[in-house]
Amino acid sequence: MVFYLIGLGLGDVEDITVKGLNIVKNCSRVHLEAYTSILCYGLDKTSLEKFYGREVIEADRTVVEQESDAILNGADKEDVALLVVGDPFGATTHADLVLRAKQQNIPVRVIHNASIMNAVGCCGLQLYNFGETVSIVMWTDTWQPESYYDKIALNRQRGMHTLCLLDIKTKEQTVENMMRGRKIFEPARYQKCSEAASQLLTICERRKAKGEECAYDENTMVVGLARVGWDNQKIVYCSMKEMSEMEMGEPLHSLIIPGETHPLEVDMLETFKP
């Protein structure tokens, strides 16, 4: 039989493709990957089950990354599906699942859908002008990595746009709870455009303090995107300093640092100035 990876798109339950919906209705088991992204606020497993007319099994990070056999179990004898917000290959985790399935000689089919990787074109920047995508993580008092800066700087040197994917923390545990084996999780946290912009400006200040030239400054224009594909989608084009103080509302957020722009791109971006 077949293991299906099915993209759900970006907005709500109705964004699944017709092909994907038909497969979901006919599979023996359907799992929902519930940590690399989220569906529209207010939607949960119950909402999906009501729309699909069947049970959906939630699969958190531990299940997907460490207990994948629980998902693949029986897929050699019956059809099993894993639902993924966006496109199935928007996260490397899902490629690993495909490899594990193939190692067990389980046929795999992928049903693609829209993801943030292509939907960012809604701001007017042309997709083929994007360089390497980076992930910006939430800083703590003791852990403040800057490795993504070098990729941004390289994209800037090449005149390419940079899509910054912002951090998501779901079902995270404190060190104490992990050590004690307590299944107590912290509230979900989603990085904001303002937080990401502030971190980027801090990195710039640190580089300048070392005598280095920074790839951008507080006047560099950036694009903030919130809830792309949702009914209340928001796009703002402003300076990085302004973005560090900008309220974009509920998650999910993404940030773009434009490179060299075509006049048509500029005309589109101008429509999103606050």
Side-chain angles (χ1 to χ4, degrees):
M1 302 304 282
V2 180
F3 172 58
Y4 291 95
L5 272 172
I6 302 176
L8 298 182
L10 294 168
D12 56 37
V13 292
E14 295 182 349
D15 285 347
I16 190 172
T17 63
V18 174
K19 179 186 288 186
L21 181 59
N22 288 334
I23 292 170
V24 165
K25 289 182 175 180
N26 291 297
C27 276
S28 296
R29 244 180 25 253
V30 177
H31 297 263
L32 170 67
E33 189 266 79
Y35 77 93
T36 59
S37 189
I38 59 172
L39 277 171
C40 184
Y41 247 51
L43 288 179
D44 53 17
K45 186 173 78 77
T46 303
S47 302
L48 292 175
E49 290 176 332
K50 182 178 180 181
F51 184 76
Y52 300 148
R54 60 159 308 134
E55 179 189 17
V56 174
I57 305 166
E58 191 169 303
D60 62 17
R61 184 172 199 150
T62 300
V63 172
V64 176
E65 294 187 348
Q66 301 175 26
E67 302 169 6
S68 59
D69 288 345
I71 296 175
L72 296 175
N73 183 38
D76 56 335
K77 300 182 180 66
E78 57 189 10
D79 291 341
V80 175
L82 178 66
L83 309 180
V84 180
V85 178
D87 185 82
F89 288 126
T92 54
T93 297
H94 310 129
D96 180 68
L97 265 175
V98 170
L99 287 173
R100 290 173 184 270
K102 290 187 174 183
Q103 288 167 0
Q104 297 178 41
N105 295 315
I106 298 172
V108 178
R109 281 191 62 193
V110 179
I111 311 300
H112 293 282
N113 210 319
S115 79
I116 192 63
M117 301 294 286
N118 55 22
V120 292
C122 64
C123 72
L125 292 173
Q126 297 168 7
L127 294 180
Y128 55 80
N129 287 336
F130 277 80
E132 185 173 356
T133 299
V134 304
S135 295
I136 297 181
V137 298
M138 294 182 194
W139 281 356
T140 67
D141 292 338
T142 57
W143 187 67
Q144 299 185 356
E146 302 180 1
S147 56
Y148 45 85
Y149 168 83
D150 296 323
K151 296 178 181 179
I152 294 172
L154 187 57
N155 282 344
R156 297 276 290 174
Q157 289 175 18
R158 294 174 174 172
M160 309 298 285
H161 311 317
T162 304
L163 170 61
C164 304
L165 302 178
L166 307 191
D167 205 1
I168 296 175
K169 300 289 187 186
T170 60
K171 296 198 77 173
E172 296 280 322
Q173 292 178 279
T174 63
V175 174
E176 180 183 353
N177 284 331
M178 283 192 289
M179 292 179 65
R180 294 179 179 272
R182 297 186 299 208
K183 295 293 183 180
I184 300 174
F185 303 100
E186 297 297 292
R189 293 182 295 140
Y190 305 95
Q191 192 174 38
K192 300 179 180 180
C193 286
S194 56
E195 296 169 340
S198 294
Q199 288 182 196
L200 289 171
L201 289 174
T202 298
I203 292 172
C204 192
E205 292 171 2
R206 291 174 179 173
R207 300 282 168 144
K208 288 180 178 178
K210 296 178 182 178
E212 300 178 18
E213 183 177 345
C214 192
Y216 52 80
D217 58 36
E218 64 179 21
N219 296 314
T220 298
M221 299 298 286
V222 297
V223 184
L225 304 102
R227 304 170 301 282
V228 172
W230 301 11
D231 291 340
N232 61 345
Q233 169 179 298
K234 183 175 182 178
I235 303 173
V236 174
Y237 178 56
C238 63
S239 72
M240 193 172 294
K241 175 64 175 177
E242 290 172 319
M243 186 59 69
S244 70
E245 302 168 352
M246 184 67 62
E247 179 52 59
M248 297 289 292
E250 296 175 337
L252 294 171
H253 293 189
S254 300
L255 185 71
I256 301 174
I257 305 172
E260 296 176 7
T261 49
H262 183 277
L264 182 60
E265 291 179 302
V266 174
D267 288 344
M268 280 289 289
L269 290 173
E270 290 287 333
T271 67
F272 298 114
K273 279 189 171 180

